[in-house]
Amino acid sequence: MSYEPDPRRWKALAVSLTAGFMGLLDVSIVNVALPSMQSGLHASSGGIRWVVSGYALAFGLVLVTGGRLGDAFGRRTMFLGALAAFVITSALAGAAPNETTLVIARLAQGVAAGMLTPQNTGLIQDLFRGAERGRAFGMFGAVVGISTAVGPILGGVILAVFGAQDGWRWVFYVNVPIGVLAFALALRLLPRSEKKQFRARSEIDFVGIVLLAVAVLGVLLPVIESDDGGPARLWWMFVVALVFGFAFVRWERSVVRRDRTPLLDTRLFTGTPGYAAGAVVGALYFCGFAGIWLVFAMFFQQGLGYTPLQSGLSVTPFALGSAVSAAVAGRLVPTFGRRLTVTGLAMVALGLLAVALLAELVPPSASGWAFALPLLFAGVGGGMVISPNTTLTLECVPVRMAGVAGGALQTGQRIGTAIGTAVLASVFGAVVGAGTDYPLALTVALCCAAGLTCGALALAIAELRARRHRAQTSEQEHEARRTETSAADVQRG
């Protein structure tokens, strides 16, 4: 069957990435507004912490389910429904009169964002082929990286414009006009898929949804509650996660044997070249990458007395470097492949180690300027990680499984984000608590982040070697078949 590209595919991608950017941005943008929320609503510290952690938890729980629903019933349908829900819940969060309403709205907003995000990778798989797919994933990778890095900056700007008292409400309200515009454009631009008859019993694996949700919850909840002694208090949930994760894998295999549609086909990890390794590389990278923003915020705001806006601007070089290199790297994937990821991870690790060293050598008053160049260097490397890794991880995934594969990939990144943020923040807090030495705390935390990044680097190098071995084996098999064909031709002649 010939492939006819959709003439509106790039416009459709721009709309879907705009919506995806909002969902990913809301993971980090709220951090700088927490003091404003707490004073404006007279909220407890525990409740206000759930404004952040509840969103992250709900987001991570439904990613795979959202991807599967998109695969089953069409990306356009799922995208429009999830985007509408995200806009409504954003408005509800902004208008929340009390702490309880705000937490409930954020949980619902997290579910909507988790349903929305996998549709981006699925749409890219549907709409693009060949080199264009690499470019599209490059843009998607830029969105993922920038949304994580730019959240504190935009949050600081919004608070500076609308004031500390009610500025936090506009952190949510800003999603409404953008989301409404994106919805209107998506109605016109997103391609319609073939209508499918709703068959919940055969299309949706409800048992798998429950098993996976409990397994992910068992990992995320203790980590998210780390500020309140979560790992020590909720250690038993890790055991629950292990048991339910094992049960989930067994159940999904049985679903496949019965010729039913699984939530997450485990053959993705065993029969799709490069998928398992790429997913782990992404999760490990986010362990080291996502947590540094909270550490930088604590260093600049608590240690140096910066405002939220000044703190956000201090890490802008990373965001700028990541934005530019992600767009470029996406186009270079067909030429350089996994070497891009390896190079990028090495650059991130070196950049973080350089900042860690400068934190000890440079006077604190000059930190913002001193960190700019190594953060730019690390950002360029970061842009070379996310988009190429996404492209290479999903390149062999069948289109019918694109949504669930993207959802599983994002789930690993969300778990990595939660673990990395908790670990790095705990390390930073422990060093500060021992001697109130903020530069040393930053150095130790960034060394930990660099160590996690090096773990991803080692795995990426192993995957690069495996790719070369597969390519060599394939070439040898092709040469052997060609030799056999030539010999057969000679005998017939």
Side-chain angles (χ1 to χ4, degrees), residues 32 92 163 181 197 239 475-476 481:
V32 297
L92 291 174
L181 178 61
Q197 184 179 359
V239 179
E475 185 177 347
Q476 289 173 348
R481 285 194 297 269

Side-chain angles (χ1 to χ4, degrees), residues 221-380:
L221 186 58
V223 172
I224 286 173
E225 286 285 281
S226 60
D227 288 345
D228 195 27
R233 184 167 46 87
L234 300 172
W235 62 267
W236 53 272
M237 290 203 69
F238 291 117
V239 179
V240 171
L242 185 63
V243 171
F244 274 79
F246 178 76
F248 172 74
V249 173
R250 293 291 299 272
W251 171 260
E252 295 301 284
R253 287 176 176 172
S254 73
V255 170
V256 171
R257 285 197 300 270
R258 287 182 280 125
D259 201 25
R260 298 272 298 277
T261 305
L263 174 67
L264 176 60
D265 195 328
T266 54
R267 290 174 295 187
L268 267 175
F269 297 92
T270 58
T272 305
Y275 183 82
V280 178
V281 167
L284 273 176
Y285 174 65
F286 271 79
C287 269
F289 155 73
I292 65 175
W293 309 117
L294 180 57
V295 168
F296 275 123
M298 290 189 293
F299 172 76
F300 284 119
Q301 293 180 46
Q302 297 175 9
L304 305 185
Y306 282 22
T307 65
L309 179 57
Q310 290 172 327
S311 174
L313 290 174
S314 297
V315 295
T316 300
F318 191 104
L320 292 176
S322 179
V324 174
S325 67
V328 175
R331 303 182 181 210
L332 299 177
V333 172
T335 304
F336 296 101
R338 182 59 74 181
R339 285 176 290 175
L340 283 172
T341 312
V342 170
T343 304
L345 287 167
M347 291 176 66
V348 173
L350 289 173
L352 293 180
L353 289 173
V355 175
L357 180 62
L358 288 172
E360 287 294 297
L361 299 178
V362 174
S365 59
S367 295
W369 292 106
F371 295 169
L373 189 58
L375 281 178
L376 178 64
F377 182 79
V380 171

Side-chain angles (χ1 to χ4, degrees), residues 69 122 194 211 241 262 299 317 345 386:
L69 291 173
E194 296 181 5
L211 291 173
F299 172 76
L345 287 167
I386 298 174

Side-chain angles (χ1 to χ4, degrees), residues 8 161 180 189 211 225 261 280 283 335 393 400 444 449 476 484:
R8 299 180 299 179
V161 171
V180 169
L189 297 173
L211 291 173
E225 286 285 281
T261 305
V280 178
T335 304
T393 303
R400 62 183 174 81
V444 174
Q476 289 173 348
E484 291 174 0

Side-chain angles (χ1 to χ4, degrees), residues 302-303 360 426-442 444:
Q302 297 175 9
E360 287 294 297
S426 298
V427 169
F428 185 90
V431 177
V432 169
T436 65
D437 187 342
Y438 282 92
L440 178 61
L442 180 65
V444 174

